Amino acid sequence: MMDIDAAQAVLDNSPFGPWWGFKVEAVGKGRAKVSLRQRPELFRPGGVLQGGCAMTLADVTCWIAVMSLFGEDDPSVTQQMTTSFLGPARTDLVCESTIVRPGRLIVYGTADTTDTAGKLVSHHTLTYIRPLERNVACSP
């Protein structure tokens, strides 16, 4: 099973991970918790974090949860994501994701993103597709 260090290494070695600065807080079978520190370039006018921060954090957190079940080299990719924004985010964010249905081809999960006070700022549902063969392009 994937542990915190292995999950952090996946993010640190990805092209996007270092820029975002994600920190893996916990990993369990079908579960993950990842945080994102707020920084000036992530804010929109009005002092609120841009919504893509919560969405990207949720996608990454669910991706780690998927890998906790299928391994670090699993080729799953996001097929669909639905986000409901429930309040403004002005602080660091923490996301917890759970895999609800780990299918052979389709994986379904949920994620909740909170601020540092524990206030729920967004809820996400995510669907990942697991290509049958590596390096096979998925077409619409």
Side-chain angles (χ1 to χ4, degrees):
M1 180 163 73
M2 176 180 265
D3 64 12
I4 291 173
D5 292 335
Q8 188 66 56
V10 167
L11 294 179
D12 291 345
N13 293 318
S14 71
F16 61 85
W19 186 89
W20 281 97
F22 299 115
K23 182 178 180 208
V24 178
E25 306 284 344
V27 179
K29 187 175 180 181
R31 298 181 167 274
K33 181 178 181 181
V34 180
S35 63
L36 173 66
R37 294 186 55 104
Q38 57 88 11
R39 19 183 242 269
E41 61 269 24
L42 299 179
F43 283 88
R44 54 177 279 167
V48 176
L49 284 170
Q50 197 275 339
C53 296
M55 294 176 73
T56 303
L57 179 59
D59 190 28
V60 165
T61 305
C62 198
W63 180 48
I64 296 293
V66 169
M67 284 189 283
S68 77
L69 295 173
F70 300 108
E72 296 172 40
D73 59 348
D74 184 74
S76 296
V77 293
T78 310
Q79 181 183 43
Q80 182 174 334
M81 180 175 181
T82 302
T83 297
S84 296
F85 293 105
L86 306 172
R90 294 183 172 90
T91 67
D92 295 351
L93 298 176
V94 176
C95 184
E96 294 188 54
S97 182
T98 301
I99 301 304
V100 177
R101 184 181 181 279
R104 187 174 65 86
L105 294 174
I106 301 294
V107 178
Y108 181 81
T110 61
D112 287 322
T113 303
T114 59
D115 63 14
T116 55
K119 180 183 172 191
L120 186 63
V121 297
S122 58
H123 174 76
H124 316 265
T125 57
L126 300 101
T127 305
Y128 287 78
I129 188 163
R130 299 184 67 229
L132 293 175
E133 295 181 31
R134 288 187 171 278
N135 302 321
V136 174
C138 296
S139 58

